[in-house]
Short mmCIF file of all heavy atoms in Angstrom, two decimals:
data_model
loop_
_atom_site.label_atom_id
_atom_site.label_comp_id
_atom_site.label_asym_id
_atom_site.label_seq_id
_atom_site.Cartn_x
_atom_site.Cartn_y
_atom_site.Cartn_z
N ALA A 223 122.07 93.49 24.16
CA ALA A 223 121.45 94.63 24.86
C ALA A 223 120.57 94.24 25.94
O ALA A 223 120.51 94.86 27.05
CB ALA A 223 120.57 95.44 23.78
N VAL A 224 119.82 93.16 25.86
CA VAL A 224 118.93 92.58 26.88
C VAL A 224 119.89 92.23 28.00
O VAL A 224 119.49 92.48 29.17
CB VAL A 224 118.16 91.44 26.40
CG1 VAL A 224 117.41 90.75 27.53
CG2 VAL A 224 117.12 91.84 25.33
N GLY A 225 121.02 91.50 27.73
CA GLY A 225 121.98 91.13 28.75
C GLY A 225 122.37 92.32 29.62
O GLY A 225 122.53 92.35 30.80
N GLU A 226 122.73 93.44 28.87
CA GLU A 226 123.22 94.64 29.61
C GLU A 226 122.04 95.14 30.47
O GLU A 226 122.29 95.62 31.57
CB GLU A 226 123.64 95.71 28.58
CG GLU A 226 124.91 95.32 27.79
CD GLU A 226 126.04 95.22 28.70
OE1 GLU A 226 126.12 96.06 29.76
OE2 GLU A 226 126.92 94.40 28.59
N ARG A 227 120.82 95.12 29.92
CA ARG A 227 119.80 95.67 30.81
C ARG A 227 119.54 94.89 32.02
O ARG A 227 119.25 95.27 33.08
CB ARG A 227 118.46 95.72 29.91
CG ARG A 227 118.36 96.78 28.86
CD ARG A 227 116.97 97.01 28.49
NE ARG A 227 116.38 95.80 27.78
CZ ARG A 227 116.60 95.56 26.48
NH1 ARG A 227 117.26 96.43 25.71
NH2 ARG A 227 115.97 94.53 25.93
N ILE A 228 119.70 93.61 31.87
CA ILE A 228 119.50 92.66 33.05
C ILE A 228 120.56 92.85 34.05
O ILE A 228 120.34 93.07 35.28
CB ILE A 228 119.58 91.17 32.60
CG1 ILE A 228 118.32 90.82 31.78
CG2 ILE A 228 119.60 90.23 33.80
CD1 ILE A 228 118.35 89.38 31.23
N ARG A 229 121.79 93.04 33.60
CA ARG A 229 122.96 93.33 34.52
C ARG A 229 122.78 94.69 35.12
O ARG A 229 123.12 94.93 36.16
CB ARG A 229 124.24 93.25 33.80
CG ARG A 229 124.73 91.79 33.52
CD ARG A 229 126.10 91.73 33.14
NE ARG A 229 126.37 92.25 31.72
CZ ARG A 229 126.22 91.54 30.67
NH1 ARG A 229 125.84 90.23 30.75
NH2 ARG A 229 126.43 92.13 29.54
N GLY A 230 122.21 95.62 34.44
CA GLY A 230 122.00 96.82 34.99
C GLY A 230 120.95 96.89 36.12
O GLY A 230 121.02 97.71 37.00
N GLY A 231 119.98 96.00 35.99
CA GLY A 231 118.82 96.06 36.96
C GLY A 231 119.14 95.11 38.11
O GLY A 231 118.95 95.46 39.25
N VAL A 232 119.61 93.93 37.91
CA VAL A 232 119.84 92.91 38.93
C VAL A 232 121.23 92.43 38.87
O VAL A 232 121.68 91.98 37.69
CB VAL A 232 118.86 91.70 38.78
CG1 VAL A 232 119.10 90.78 39.96
CG2 VAL A 232 117.49 92.26 38.90
N PRO A 233 122.09 92.34 39.94
CA PRO A 233 123.37 91.84 39.95
C PRO A 233 123.48 90.53 39.30
O PRO A 233 122.59 89.61 39.52
CB PRO A 233 123.78 91.92 41.38
CG PRO A 233 122.86 92.81 42.09
CD PRO A 233 121.61 92.66 41.38
N SER A 234 124.50 90.26 38.51
CA SER A 234 124.67 88.94 37.98
C SER A 234 125.00 87.83 39.00
O SER A 234 125.40 88.27 40.09
CB SER A 234 125.72 89.08 36.92
OG SER A 234 127.00 89.43 37.62
N THR A 235 124.85 86.58 38.73
CA THR A 235 125.09 85.60 39.63
C THR A 235 126.51 85.54 40.15
O THR A 235 126.66 85.38 41.43
CB THR A 235 124.74 84.22 39.00
OG1 THR A 235 123.32 84.21 38.52
CG2 THR A 235 125.01 83.09 39.95
N PRO A 236 127.55 85.75 39.46
CA PRO A 236 128.84 85.84 40.02
C PRO A 236 129.06 86.89 41.08
O PRO A 236 129.69 86.74 42.07
CB PRO A 236 129.83 85.96 38.87
CG PRO A 236 129.01 85.42 37.68
CD PRO A 236 127.66 85.73 37.95
N ALA A 237 128.41 88.11 40.74
CA ALA A 237 128.49 89.15 41.73
C ALA A 237 127.85 88.89 43.04
O ALA A 237 128.33 89.23 44.07
CB ALA A 237 127.95 90.44 41.09
N VAL A 238 126.63 88.36 43.01
CA VAL A 238 125.95 87.94 44.13
C VAL A 238 126.69 86.88 44.97
O VAL A 238 126.88 87.01 46.16
CB VAL A 238 124.48 87.37 43.82
CG1 VAL A 238 123.88 86.78 45.04
CG2 VAL A 238 123.58 88.44 43.07
N PHE A 239 127.27 85.92 44.25
CA PHE A 239 128.04 84.97 45.00
C PHE A 239 129.27 85.51 45.67
O PHE A 239 129.55 85.25 46.84
CB PHE A 239 128.50 83.88 43.97
CG PHE A 239 129.43 82.88 44.65
CD1 PHE A 239 128.93 81.88 45.36
CD2 PHE A 239 130.79 82.92 44.43
CE1 PHE A 239 129.79 80.91 46.00
CE2 PHE A 239 131.60 82.01 44.95
CZ PHE A 239 131.16 81.12 45.72
N THR A 240 129.90 86.53 44.95
CA THR A 240 131.19 87.09 45.49
C THR A 240 130.90 87.84 46.79
O THR A 240 131.53 87.73 47.73
CB THR A 240 131.80 87.98 44.49
OG1 THR A 240 132.16 87.21 43.30
CG2 THR A 240 133.10 88.56 45.00
N ARG A 241 129.87 88.73 46.63
CA ARG A 241 129.39 89.57 47.85
C ARG A 241 128.95 88.71 49.02
O ARG A 241 129.36 88.96 50.09
CB ARG A 241 128.29 90.59 47.48
CG ARG A 241 127.99 91.54 48.62
CD ARG A 241 127.22 92.73 48.15
NE ARG A 241 125.93 92.37 47.60
CZ ARG A 241 125.59 92.42 46.28
NH1 ARG A 241 126.49 92.80 45.39
NH2 ARG A 241 124.42 92.05 45.82
N GLY A 242 128.11 87.68 48.66
CA GLY A 242 127.69 86.84 49.72
C GLY A 242 128.87 86.04 50.52
O GLY A 242 128.91 85.82 51.63
N PHE A 243 129.83 85.76 49.55
CA PHE A 243 131.01 85.03 50.16
C PHE A 243 131.79 85.79 51.18
O PHE A 243 132.09 85.56 52.16
CB PHE A 243 131.94 84.58 49.12
CG PHE A 243 133.23 83.96 49.43
CD1 PHE A 243 133.23 82.63 50.09
CD2 PHE A 243 134.37 84.71 49.53
CE1 PHE A 243 134.40 82.13 50.47
CE2 PHE A 243 135.55 84.17 50.00
CZ PHE A 243 135.67 82.88 50.46
N PHE A 244 131.92 87.16 50.71
CA PHE A 244 132.74 88.02 51.56
C PHE A 244 131.92 88.37 52.88
O PHE A 244 132.44 88.62 53.91
CB PHE A 244 133.11 89.29 50.77
CG PHE A 244 134.26 89.04 49.96
CD1 PHE A 244 134.26 89.18 48.64
CD2 PHE A 244 135.55 88.79 50.40
CE1 PHE A 244 135.35 88.95 47.71
CE2 PHE A 244 136.77 88.56 49.60
CZ PHE A 244 136.52 88.51 48.23
N ASP A 245 130.61 88.53 52.76
CA ASP A 245 129.78 88.84 53.91
C ASP A 245 129.90 87.69 54.83
O ASP A 245 129.94 87.95 56.14
CB ASP A 245 128.30 89.04 53.51
CG ASP A 245 128.07 90.32 52.77
OD1 ASP A 245 128.99 91.19 52.89
OD2 ASP A 245 127.01 90.58 52.15
N PHE A 246 129.80 86.51 54.38
CA PHE A 246 129.96 85.28 55.20
C PHE A 246 131.35 85.25 55.89
O PHE A 246 131.48 84.88 57.08
CB PHE A 246 129.60 84.00 54.40
CG PHE A 246 129.90 82.80 55.16
CD1 PHE A 246 128.85 82.28 56.05
CD2 PHE A 246 130.98 81.97 55.08
CE1 PHE A 246 128.98 81.15 56.75
CE2 PHE A 246 131.22 80.80 55.82
CZ PHE A 246 130.14 80.39 56.63
N PHE A 247 132.29 85.62 55.04
CA PHE A 247 133.72 85.59 55.67
C PHE A 247 133.84 86.59 56.74
O PHE A 247 134.43 86.34 57.68
CB PHE A 247 134.69 85.89 54.47
CG PHE A 247 136.18 85.80 54.92
CD1 PHE A 247 136.71 84.50 55.18
CD2 PHE A 247 136.93 86.95 55.01
CE1 PHE A 247 138.07 84.43 55.55
CE2 PHE A 247 138.26 86.80 55.31
CZ PHE A 247 138.82 85.63 55.66
N LYS A 248 133.31 87.81 56.48
CA LYS A 248 133.43 88.87 57.62
C LYS A 248 132.56 88.44 58.82
O LYS A 248 133.07 88.70 59.92
CB LYS A 248 132.80 90.19 57.04
CG LYS A 248 133.60 90.90 56.01
CD LYS A 248 133.02 92.19 55.46
CE LYS A 248 133.76 92.80 54.36
NZ LYS A 248 133.14 94.02 53.86
N LYS A 249 131.49 87.82 58.61
CA LYS A 249 130.71 87.26 59.82
C LYS A 249 131.56 86.32 60.50
O LYS A 249 131.56 86.27 61.81
CB LYS A 249 129.39 86.73 59.29
CG LYS A 249 128.52 86.21 60.48
CD LYS A 249 127.18 85.59 59.89
CE LYS A 249 126.38 85.00 61.05
NZ LYS A 249 125.17 84.44 60.52
N GLY A 250 132.16 85.36 59.76
CA GLY A 250 133.08 84.44 60.40
C GLY A 250 134.15 84.99 61.19
O GLY A 250 134.63 84.54 62.28
N GLU A 251 134.79 86.04 60.64
CA GLU A 251 135.87 86.81 61.26
C GLU A 251 135.43 87.47 62.62
O GLU A 251 136.02 87.34 63.62
CB GLU A 251 136.45 87.89 60.32
CG GLU A 251 137.39 87.49 59.33
CD GLU A 251 138.03 88.59 58.55
OE1 GLU A 251 137.26 89.61 58.36
OE2 GLU A 251 139.19 88.50 58.25
N LYS A 252 134.17 87.98 62.64
CA LYS A 252 133.58 88.68 63.84
C LYS A 252 133.32 87.61 64.89
O LYS A 252 133.70 87.82 66.12
CB LYS A 252 132.33 89.44 63.52
CG LYS A 252 131.69 90.09 64.64
CD LYS A 252 130.45 90.83 64.26
CE LYS A 252 129.82 91.68 65.42
NZ LYS A 252 129.62 90.80 66.62
N GLU A 253 132.72 86.44 64.52
CA GLU A 253 132.49 85.41 65.46
C GLU A 253 133.83 84.90 66.00
O GLU A 253 133.87 84.52 67.12
CB GLU A 253 131.73 84.31 64.75
CG GLU A 253 130.20 84.68 64.41
CD GLU A 253 129.55 83.55 63.68
OE1 GLU A 253 130.30 82.58 63.26
OE2 GLU A 253 128.26 83.71 63.51
N ALA A 254 134.83 84.77 65.19
CA ALA A 254 136.13 84.27 65.70
C ALA A 254 136.69 85.31 66.61
O ALA A 254 137.35 84.89 67.65
CB ALA A 254 137.08 84.06 64.54
N ALA A 255 136.58 86.59 66.38
CA ALA A 255 137.17 87.55 67.29
C ALA A 255 136.40 87.52 68.64
O ALA A 255 137.01 87.58 69.65
CB ALA A 255 137.03 88.98 66.61
N ASP A 256 134.96 87.36 68.61
CA ASP A 256 134.16 87.33 69.72
C ASP A 256 134.55 86.14 70.54
O ASP A 256 134.72 86.13 71.79
CB ASP A 256 132.76 87.30 69.36
CG ASP A 256 132.26 88.58 68.90
OD1 ASP A 256 132.94 89.62 68.99
OD2 ASP A 256 131.18 88.71 68.25
N ASP A 257 134.82 85.04 69.90
CA ASP A 257 135.11 83.78 70.47
C ASP A 257 136.54 83.87 71.20
O ASP A 257 136.76 83.39 72.24
CB ASP A 257 135.08 82.64 69.46
CG ASP A 257 135.48 81.27 70.16
OD1 ASP A 257 134.77 80.93 71.10
OD2 ASP A 257 136.27 80.38 69.70
#
Side-chain angles (χ1 to χ4, degrees):
V224 172
E226 288 299 322
R227 287 196 297 273
I228 292 175
R229 283 193 290 274
V232 180
S234 62
T235 301
V238 172
F239 174 78
T240 303
R241 186 166 61 251
F243 173 78
F244 281 114
D245 288 345
F246 178 78
F247 184 71
K248 289 178 181 178
K249 182 179 179 182
E251 280 187 324
K252 184 178 183 302
E253 290 177 350
D256 292 343
D257 187 50

